Amino acid sequence: MRKFRNILSLFDGISICQEALHDQNLDYEICYSSEIDKHASAITRYNYPDTIHLGDVRKWETWDIDWSKIDILFAGFPCQSWSVAGKELGDRDPRGQLMWVMMDIFTHIKKHNPNFLFLFENVKMKTVFMEYCSNAIGIQPILINSSLVSAQNRERY
């Protein structure tokens, strides 16, 4: 079993990242969770009581974290402003601006631990948005159908 030091999950939801790590026999010491939905956080607290809850991602600079020990960053920044089912305002929507908060955290971790791993996820979006986000992150995404790993049938980057 491979063991990581610490993981950080932004926009954590019900902390499926922890479930995925366990399913793959990947262990970690600490999971930090940033989530503002109280119902999602309650599920995480129930399933993973040792999770350290950090709250609002926009307050990341106040978090008491040893950034050099973050080995994996998970993030699925809010999709409503990028999705064809949403208003398609991109980062002109306050929710879309959270991608830039994620990128600030990504850059900060990279400065302290250049060898960390990351997994970002989002919906299939218009090509112009996909290219915009890809250029900001610095990678080209892989498009998969969520039916590979869940009961949903949705294309995701």
Side-chain angles (χ1 to χ4, degrees), residues 4-43:
F4 296 98
R5 291 173 295 184
N6 302 330
I7 63 172
L8 172 59
S9 180
L10 309 177
F11 319 104
D12 188 45
I14 61 172
S15 210
I16 292 300
C17 66
Q18 293 189 75
E19 190 71 27
L21 289 170
H22 289 295
D23 284 351
Q24 296 302 310
N25 290 318
L26 299 171
D27 200 13
Y28 52 89
E29 292 175 20
I30 297 172
C31 176
Y32 295 102
S33 166
S34 175
E35 177 58 59
I36 60 171
D37 183 279
K38 66 180 180 179
H39 302 292
S41 293
I43 292 169

Side-chain angles (χ1 to χ4, degrees), residues 8-155:
L8 172 59
S9 180
L10 309 177
F11 319 104
D12 188 45
I14 61 172
S15 210
I16 292 300
C17 66
Q18 293 189 75
E19 190 71 27
L21 289 170
H22 289 295
D23 284 351
Q24 296 302 310
N25 290 318
L26 299 171
D27 200 13
Y28 52 89
E29 292 175 20
I30 297 172
C31 176
Y32 295 102
S33 166
S34 175
E35 177 58 59
I36 60 171
D37 183 279
K38 66 180 180 179
H39 302 292
S41 293
I43 292 169
T44 297
R45 282 185 175 85
Y46 179 80
N47 290 326
Y48 301 101
D50 295 331
T51 302
I52 297 174
H53 295 266
L54 303 168
D56 192 333
V57 72
R58 293 170 293 185
K59 298 179 181 177
W60 71 271
E61 292 175 287
T62 66
W63 296 346
D64 184 22
I65 293 178
D66 181 349
W67 297 98
S68 68
K69 292 184 179 177
I70 299 295
D71 288 330
I72 306 176
L73 172 64
F74 294 98
F77 56 94
C79 66
Q80 298 93 333
S81 59
W82 307 99
S83 171
V84 294
K87 294 184 179 179
E88 295 188 291
L89 295 174
D91 59 7
R92 294 186 322 268
D93 179 318
R95 296 167 297 187
Q97 293 170 9
L98 292 172
M99 180 192 73
W100 293 111
V101 175
M102 177 193 78
M103 289 308 301
D104 288 343
I105 295 168
F106 174 85
T107 302
H108 190 73
I109 295 171
K110 194 171 192 171
K111 182 172 68 173
H112 293 279
N113 181 4
N115 298 315
F116 81 106
L117 305 171
F118 64 95
L119 177 64
F120 297 154
E121 174 275 337
N122 218 299
V123 296
K124 184 175 181 183
M125 54 188 81
K126 289 193 310 190
T127 301
V128 66
F129 282 156
M130 187 274 297
E131 290 173 354
Y132 181 79
C133 293
S134 297
N135 288 335
I137 297 168
I139 60 165
Q140 290 301 309
I142 298 168
L143 184 65
I144 67 165
N145 192 313
S146 62
S147 66
L148 293 172
V149 294
S150 76
Q152 285 186 326
N153 184 24
R154 293 175 67 191
E155 290 184 309

